[in-house]
Amino acid sequence: MSRLFVGTFVAGLLLAGLAASFWPLPGHTRYRSLTTVLPDGGRQEDFIIRWPDDRVGRNGENGAGLPADAATGAAVLEDSAGQRVSAETFRVRDTDDNVIGVASRMAGTGGAIADTNRSVSNWLVVIPSRGAIFLSQPDAFDTTARQRDTVNGVIALSTMQNRALWNNTTERRITAATPRYAGRILRGTSEFAGLSGSFSETWKLDGINADGSTHGRIILSTLSERTE
């Protein structure tokens, strides 16, 4: 019986190997890298996120019964000292509107994710066919998702989907404006390995829906050069 079991198991592995050689698993679609070579050296590449379309919801959430500005993909932690941290996940697009990967954004205040009292955001952009790039910046204002009580319990309220943010403008620079606080490219893997430079995060409002919800774009614009 044991010989039959082992023989069948090995035969199954061989058949699986042969099948994989004739029908290989599909690879990740690789889109052309849309980068611009700068006159003074380096390159610029922009990553686009559309809200709320590209927000990745948490497991078990379908948005039913939540208000229009609820960020169902945000996770929020806050302590009694006022330290707050929020985490969100999005699909990422290139400037031709192709979905090329995913990005996570972690924002914190009161020293929640950095040794500072400023609001700070960390981005991790992962493109399966190219690698990952890690970005960090101090924010121009508090960008962490907020918690509030509703009849459905405590939910996260996304800053970008708060209509009050857009009373007088359709564009917000999130990266603190002074050069000292410019966003930094910390490190990368694969194609992004050895890159250094800066980046800026900008939110652009495309419109306000009839129900009061908003839609727009997050633009992560990177300026990098290879140092290794």
Side-chain angles (χ1 to χ4, degrees):
M1 181 64 70
S2 61
R3 290 182 179 180
L4 177 62
F5 173 79
V6 172
T8 304
F9 180 75
V10 172
L13 290 178
L14 292 175
L15 288 174
L18 288 173
S21 64
F22 288 104
W23 294 284
L25 295 174
H28 294 291
T29 301
R30 180 185 175 95
Y31 292 98
R32 180 173 59 90
S33 303
L34 302 179
T35 59
T36 302
V37 178
L38 303 176
D40 56 350
R43 68 180 191 178
Q44 176 179 342
E45 182 171 9
D46 293 350
F47 302 106
I48 313 297
I49 297 168
R50 295 188 178 277
W51 86 76
D53 311 64
D54 290 334
R55 183 181 298 281
V56 179
R58 290 181 291 170
N59 290 338
E61 291 181 333
N62 57 17
L66 296 180
D69 56 2
T72 58
V76 183
L77 292 174
E78 184 171 5
D79 64 14
S80 59
Q83 293 188 126
R84 182 173 55 256
V85 62
S86 64
E88 302 167 274
T89 305
F90 305 90
R91 289 183 290 270
V92 176
R93 304 171 186 263
D94 61 18
T95 51
D96 278 351
D97 208 34
N98 300 306
V99 176
I100 58 174
V102 295
S104 63
R105 181 177 192 271
M106 182 172 289
T109 61
I113 64 173
D115 187 19
T116 176
N117 289 324
R118 298 179 62 93
S119 173
V120 176
S121 294
N122 292 336
W123 281 95
L124 178 63
V125 181
V126 180
I127 303 174
S129 59
R130 298 175 58 193
I133 186 169
F134 185 38
L135 313 171
S136 182
Q137 69 178 14
D139 301 323
F141 56 90
D142 181 5
T143 60
T144 57
R146 303 299 183 91
Q147 289 185 329
R148 68 175 186 178
D149 291 322
T150 69
V151 294
N152 298 305
V154 177
I155 63 170
L157 176 64
S158 173
T159 305
M160 70 191 69
Q161 291 178 270
N162 185 352
R163 182 173 178 174
L165 179 69
W166 307 103
N167 284 340
N168 302 311
T169 185
T170 59
E171 181 173 322
R172 293 279 188 183
R173 177 187 164 102
I174 305 306
T175 312
T178 60
R180 177 184 176 187
Y181 295 118
R184 294 183 299 148
I185 298 175
L186 297 182
R187 64 177 303 173
T189 64
S190 299
E191 184 180 311
F192 300 106
L195 293 182
S196 64
S198 61
F199 83 100
S200 64
E201 177 183 348
T202 305
W203 298 352
K204 292 189 176 182
L205 178 70
D206 290 335
I208 298 177
N209 304 319
D211 62 359
S213 61
T214 66
H215 60 277
R217 291 163 291 155
I218 301 172
I219 303 174
L220 301 175
S221 183
T222 64
L223 302 175
S224 62
E225 59 182 359
R226 191 164 296 280
T227 57
E228 297 179 4

